[in-house]
């Protein structure tokens, strides 16, 4: 009797369990439903969006390929990426001291060579030796403790203490691959179901909406006040919290981004105290995104960490749950590709902390180069060190240039018809509002695009300048914005301004009501 197909397949697999039976292969390729389709993916992934690497960037990358294959095929010579905070991709040079220490740690054999003393500064050699003594096996290719190398956490804790004037415990520090994994970890720990919500500023950095979606929670929006320079009003927090609770949402945490992304504001101390009191009263975890703490451009503004604010208000380690995020990707160092950062976790019970550690352990540890950089950022060269003058020159040169670029772009946006732009007090971005003509909004609807996306794509195709539409960050309904970084090389800023001005004038004339 003829064997069934199933029996024949079983026989083949028994003979060679590592082969794929040909008849099965033919079946799978002849109309059978594939094992994975978009519809069968995790719906939380489908819900997740991340604007800064979204549609606009895909169009920009295609245009860049066109220019490489056919120079002169578009009315511009290059793509100018103003969409993402990626400083070194736009020509910013790394800090010499940081890279010297990293090089010596990654290749310790250099320390045994005579010429190293002439190629590297004495303090970078000393720092590398100290760090190597703290690394298991003196090897950056080795795993570390899941929270990060203890000696590096000691250094970071000392840096936090020096910054804030209050003690910091290295056991409160979890070293991470940039700030983003720390944010994801907290969402994973706090969100139990869609009935759990996280208060986030609007506009917001889309990492937050994306991570909330991925972990199945609910984004609870609170709107920053554009009219007061993107102010954070506690009355707005109360309004949105009460509305969420009435809808059956248990709000677990409040996200505060300071300096702001994409909005560039720096919170005042009194405002921070109000936020801390609000979280304390309402029983919320305060998630403090402070990755732009070195990027302060307004002379009348100063960064104060939420940890410092809490301690100055008399709240101790156990009084208020606070998670502070820092990254080596931003600031003046801009080491995005090294993926270094940390979160400082205070105000949680030992039982909860054990769960934090368990989740960190699943990923084994963050990368060692990023851990080293995080310690260097929090403990750069000091007065009297051989590298100090060069370090100071590099750091201040970058920050002063960023301030000039911010001012030039801010003035340019404010000179455009229908565009208004708040001052960039800090961070790396401007978030101007644009009042689009009704005809332009109608054209966008016909193209099935958000109006600011339509504008950004038209801008890109005409000039090669990449900006992210504000709809990717959230905005008050009925308003339109776009985010522009201040990172292109300073000598290219005038060309960007000129191209933007010409395009905007043409666009507004085309769609004038």
């Amino acid at each position: 009797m003829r064997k069934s197909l199933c029996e024949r397949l079983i026989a083949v697999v028994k003979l060679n369990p590592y082969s794929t039976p040909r008849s099965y292969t033919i079946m799978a390729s002849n109309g059978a439903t594939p094992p994975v389709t978009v519809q069968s993916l995790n719906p939380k992934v489908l819900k997740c969006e991340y604007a800064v690497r979204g549609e606009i960037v895909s169009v920009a990358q295609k245009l860049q390929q066109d220019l490489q294959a056919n120079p002169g095929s578009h009315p511009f010579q290059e793509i100018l990426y103003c969409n993402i905070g990626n400083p070194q991709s736009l020509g910013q040079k790394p800090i010499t001291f940081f890279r010297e220490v990293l090089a010596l740690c990654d290749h310790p054999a250099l320390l045994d060579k005579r010429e190293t003393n002439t190629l590297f500064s004495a303090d970078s050699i000393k720092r590398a030796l100290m760090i190597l003594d703290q690394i298991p096996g003196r090897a950056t290719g080795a795993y570390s403790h899941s929270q990060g190398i203890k000696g590096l956490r000691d250094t970071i804790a000392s840096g936090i203490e020096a910054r804030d004037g209050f003690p910091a415990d290295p056991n409160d520090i979890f070293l991470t691959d940039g700030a983003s994994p720390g944010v994801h970890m907290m969402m994973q720990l706090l969100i139990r179901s869609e009935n759990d919500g996280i208060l986030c500023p609007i506009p917001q950095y889309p990492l937050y909406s994306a991570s909330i979606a991925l972990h199945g929670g609910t984004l609870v929006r609170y709107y920053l006040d554009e009219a007061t320079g993107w102010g954070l009003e506690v009355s707005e927090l109360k309004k949105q919290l009460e509305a969420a609770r009435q809808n059956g949402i248990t709000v677990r945490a409040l996200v505060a981004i300071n300096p702001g992304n994409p909005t560039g504001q720096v919170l005042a101390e009194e405002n921070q105290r109000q936020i801390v009191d609000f979280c304390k009263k309402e029983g919320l975890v305060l998630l403090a995104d402070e990755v732009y703490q070195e990027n302060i451009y307004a002379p009348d503004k100063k960064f104060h960490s939420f940890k410092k604010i809490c301690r100055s208000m008399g709240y101790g380690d156990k009084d208020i749950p606070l998670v502070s995020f820092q990254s080596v990707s931003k600031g003046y160092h801009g080491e995005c590709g090294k993926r270094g950062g940390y979160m400082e976790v205070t105000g949680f019970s030992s039982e909860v902390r054990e769960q934090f550690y368990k989740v960190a352990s699943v990923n084994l540890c963050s990368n060692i180069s990023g851990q080293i950089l995080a310690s260097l950022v929090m403990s750069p060269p000091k007065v009297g060190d051989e590298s100090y003058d060069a370090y100071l020159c590099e750091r201040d040169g970058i920050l002063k240039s960023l301030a000039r670029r911010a001012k030039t772009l801010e003035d340019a946006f404010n000179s455009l018809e229908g565009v208004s732009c708040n001052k960039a007090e800090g961070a790396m971005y401007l978030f101007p509002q644009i009042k689009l003509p009704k005809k332009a909004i109608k054209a966008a609807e016909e193209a099935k695009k958000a109006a600011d996306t339509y504008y950004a794509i038209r801008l890109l195709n005409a000039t090669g300048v990449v900006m992210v539409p504000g709809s990717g960050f959230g905005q008050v309904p009925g308003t339109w914005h776009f985010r522009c970084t201040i990172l292109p090389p300073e000598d290219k800023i005038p060309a960007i301004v000129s191209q933007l001005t010409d395009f905007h004038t043409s666009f507004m004339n085309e769609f004038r009501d």
Side-chain angles (χ1 to χ4, degrees):
M1 186 172 65
R2 191 180 173 92
K3 289 184 178 180
S4 69
L5 175 60
C6 182
E7 289 172 323
R8 282 183 282 140
L9 289 175
I10 291 171
V12 171
V13 171
K14 283 181 177 178
L15 286 171
N16 184 358
Y18 302 105
S19 69
T20 301
R22 183 173 179 274
S23 54
Y24 178 82
T25 304
I26 292 171
M27 280 179 54
S29 62
N30 284 346
T33 302
V36 179
T37 65
V38 170
Q39 291 74 21
S40 70
L41 290 174
N42 185 337
K44 296 172 187 175
V45 174
L46 300 181
K47 188 178 178 182
C48 168
E49 295 182 357
Y50 191 66
V52 295
R53 291 180 182 263
E55 177 187 6
I56 300 294
V57 179
S58 296
V59 174
Q61 289 169 343
K62 184 179 183 304
L63 291 172
Q64 189 165 18
Q65 291 170 358
D66 289 348
L67 288 172
Q68 290 170 346
N70 301 294
S73 57
H74 293 282
F76 44 84
Q77 301 302 313
E78 63 178 328
I79 302 296
L80 291 165
Y81 288 95
C82 300
N83 64 300
I84 191 168
N86 193 11
Q88 293 187 25
S89 73
L90 294 172
Q92 181 174 306
K93 300 300 181 187
I95 299 298
T96 301
F97 174 78
F98 295 169
R99 286 302 184 90
E100 286 190 358
V101 175
L102 280 178
L104 293 168
C105 288
D106 275 336
H107 192 40
L110 290 172
L111 293 163
D112 298 326
K113 296 185 181 297
R114 188 182 309 166
E115 56 266 40
T116 296
N117 289 320
T118 59
L119 294 172
F120 293 81
S121 64
D123 53 332
S124 67
I125 293 172
K126 181 180 178 181
R127 184 73 68 92
L129 286 167
M130 181 185 76
I131 290 172
L132 285 168
D133 285 341
Q134 299 167 344
I135 298 175
R138 294 171 60 85
T140 57
Y143 290 134
S144 75
H145 186 281
S146 292
Q147 279 185 241
I149 294 165
K150 174 61 165 59
L152 300 182
R153 287 186 283 127
D154 289 338
T155 300
I156 291 169
S158 296
I160 294 171
E161 187 169 336
R163 180 195 68 193
D164 294 343
F166 292 95
D169 185 345
N171 293 318
D172 292 339
I173 293 166
F174 287 75
L175 291 171
T176 53
D177 289 328
S180 299
V183 171
H184 278 289
M185 183 189 296
M186 291 311 305
M187 298 306 174
Q188 186 177 19
L189 287 159
L190 292 172
I191 294 172
R192 299 162 296 183
S193 74
E194 62 185 8
N195 294 323
D196 283 333
I198 308 293
L199 272 163
C200 289
I202 298 297
Q204 53 101 30
Y205 177 45
L207 164 67
Y208 291 97
S209 55
S211 61
I212 292 168
L214 281 173
H215 295 291
T218 296
L219 174 70
V220 180
R221 298 168 176 83
Y222 68 86
Y223 289 92
L224 301 175
D225 185 1
E226 187 170 8
T228 60
W230 301 112
L232 198 169
E233 302 295 335
V234 172
S235 58
E236 170 69 4
L237 294 178
K238 291 177 180 177
K239 172 185 170 184
Q240 301 302 339
L241 177 64
E242 290 170 5
R245 286 174 172 169
Q246 288 173 2
N247 288 323
I249 301 299
T250 300
V251 179
R252 307 298 310 278
L254 165 71
V255 173
I257 307 174
N258 181 44
N261 176 10
T263 45
Q265 84 283 10
V266 179
L267 295 178
E269 281 187 81
E270 180 56 32
N271 196 187
Q272 290 183 266
R273 292 189 189 97
Q274 294 170 349
I275 294 164
V276 169
D277 275 336
F278 174 79
C279 289
K280 176 66 175 175
K281 178 182 177 183
E282 302 295 344
L284 303 178
V285 177
L286 177 51
L287 302 176
D289 182 331
E290 299 175 339
V291 303
Y292 296 98
Q293 59 190 258
E294 293 98 346
N295 297 100
I296 308 294
Y297 311 124
D300 60 334
K301 293 284 186 167
K302 185 179 179 182
F303 170 77
H304 299 282
S305 75
F306 271 102
K307 165 92 173 295
K308 175 183 176 181
I309 296 296
C310 288
R311 298 298 175 265
S312 67
M313 293 173 69
Y315 292 127
D317 288 346
K318 303 294 187 288
D319 293 328
I320 182 168
L322 168 67
V323 184
S324 305
F325 302 101
Q326 168 64 314
S327 171
V328 306
S329 301
K330 310 305 177 185
Y332 56 88
H333 16 89
E335 293 280 10
C336 301
K338 297 299 184 183
R339 308 311 301 132
Y342 69 81
M343 61 180 190
E344 185 184 16
V345 176
T346 59
F348 296 88
S349 69
S350 58
E351 293 82 5
V352 171
R353 290 283 295 273
E354 287 175 7
Q355 301 306 308
F356 287 8
Y357 181 74
K358 179 172 71 178
V359 173
S361 298
V362 170
N363 293 320
L364 298 177
C365 70
S366 59
N367 81 88
I368 304 301
S369 292
Q371 292 190 32
I372 293 169
L373 260 174
S375 75
L376 297 175
V377 164
M378 296 305 291
S379 181
K382 306 291 191 297
V383 175
D385 291 342
E386 182 182 332
S387 296
Y388 179 74
D389 289 343
Y391 158 77
L392 202 64
C393 181
E394 290 173 344
R395 184 198 70 181
D396 292 352
I398 291 168
L399 292 174
K400 288 176 181 177
S401 176
L402 288 172
R404 290 192 297 269
R405 284 177 260 179
K407 184 66 168 64
T408 300
L409 287 168
E410 174 195 325
D411 290 344
F413 285 128
N414 282 320
S415 72
L416 300 177
E417 177 188 356
V419 178
S420 59
C421 184
N422 281 325
K423 185 175 182 179
E425 297 175 337
M428 296 177 172
Y429 316 101
L430 294 164
F431 199 67
Q433 180 178 161
I434 177 171
K435 297 186 184 302
L436 292 166
K438 292 178 181 177
K439 289 181 181 178
I441 295 173
K442 183 178 180 181
E445 290 172 351
E446 291 172 353
K448 297 182 179 180
K449 303 285 185 189
D452 49 7
T453 300
Y454 181 75
Y455 179 93
I457 290 176
R458 289 282 302 264
L459 172 68
L460 172 58
N461 283 319
T463 67
V465 176
V466 188
M467 296 186 191
V468 187
S471 48
F473 299 87
Q475 52 198 345
V476 172
T479 66
W480 305 105
H481 300 77
F482 47 89
R483 186 184 82 162
C484 176
T485 73
I486 60 174
L487 296 174
E490 194 166 0
D491 61 358
K492 292 187 177 181
I493 296 294
I496 292 173
V497 170
S498 175
Q499 290 172 305
L500 174 65
T501 301
D502 290 346
F503 165 79
H504 184 80
T505 301
S506 174
F507 183 92
M508 297 299 280
N509 286 337
E510 179 183 349
F511 293 103
R512 194 171 301 282
D513 295 327

